[in-house]
Amino acid sequence: LMSMKASVSNCVISANESMPDGYGYQVLGVGVYAIAGELVDSEICDNIYRGNTYPRGAGCHVADSGDNAITFTMRRCKIMRNVCLKGTYVSYWGASAGLYCAGRNSLYENLLIADNSTAVNGGGVWLGFSNYTPHKFVNCTIVNNTAAYGGGVQDQNSYGRFYNCLIQGNKVTGDDSTALKPEVINGQYYHCLS
């Protein structure tokens, strides 16, 4: 999705895989790569990242357009069972299996983000690089995701705003369980269960 007017609805985006590589290329969204527009009533499931370095969303990657007027919206979607395997050179920074959010002024409403798994961080959601504009999550369910760091949500820069969301049953596999919270790292949460 590259246009402000682009709209995708009622789709199943499933069983895509990235190719392994040895050259340090970044893979940005194995299932979906978006900058602007909207994605509604769709499923993004069973996508697998198999590369060696810097995965950015096995399920979905929302990129920064560089323009605060450009927005992205996702409503009533399921992001499930996406997997980000750890390659040889993968860092522990920005490697969500489910949803990687770097876009400005993005809105996520009534999403189910469940059963995603990454060997690095942000099992369900990874947030960052929003140029000080918030990522808004409203009435979302983020459950049963697994990561080394931030099983449910890792908010790199604390730009996440979560309203009436359920964030439960997520797990971490990292060594420092006191610092690596299983449900959320950073962000602001309003009337949420976690």
Side-chain angles (χ1 to χ4, degrees), residues 35-178:
I35 293 177
E38 64 177 2
L39 178 62
V40 297
D41 299 315
S42 295
E43 293 185 15
I44 304 165
C45 57
D46 302 306
N47 300 290
I48 300 175
Y49 171 83
R50 293 188 182 279
N52 286 329
T53 186
Y54 300 121
R56 303 284 204 247
C60 182
H61 177 104
V62 179
D64 184 1
S65 66
D67 184 344
N68 284 337
I70 293 177
T71 62
F72 175 76
T73 301
M74 183 184 291
R75 289 190 173 96
R76 300 180 304 276
C77 291
K78 295 179 181 179
I79 302 173
M80 301 176 62
R81 301 182 307 276
N82 299 286
V83 177
C84 179
L85 305 174
K86 184 176 181 183
T88 306
Y89 305 107
V90 172
S91 75
Y92 285 95
W93 177 75
S96 173
L99 175 61
Y100 178 99
C101 307
R104 305 179 191 204
N105 300 312
S106 53
L107 172 64
Y108 306 93
E109 190 172 25
N110 295 305
L111 304 185
L112 172 60
I113 301 173
D115 302 311
N116 300 287
S117 177
T118 180
V120 278
N121 61 353
V125 177
W126 188 93
L127 303 171
F129 304 116
S130 67
N131 197 38
Y132 309 106
T133 62
H135 307 283
K136 295 179 184 175
F137 288 76
V138 180
N139 299 324
C140 293
T141 299
I142 303 170
V143 295
N144 302 326
N145 301 287
T146 303
Y149 302 84
V153 176
Q154 173 143 4
D155 187 346
Q156 188 73 14
N157 299 311
S158 296
Y159 297 143
R161 304 293 182 268
F162 294 81
Y163 303 90
N164 299 310
C165 293
L166 173 65
I167 307 171
Q168 286 186 343
N170 300 286
K171 301 176 201 139
V172 292
T173 59
D175 294 334
D176 186 356
S177 61
T178 60

Side-chain angles (χ1 to χ4, degrees), residues 12-34:
V12 175
I13 302 164
S14 179
N16 298 287
E17 295 188 24
S18 69
M19 296 295 292
D21 68 74
Y23 303 103
Y25 296 125
Q26 294 185 23
V27 175
L28 307 176
V30 178
V32 171
Y33 176 84

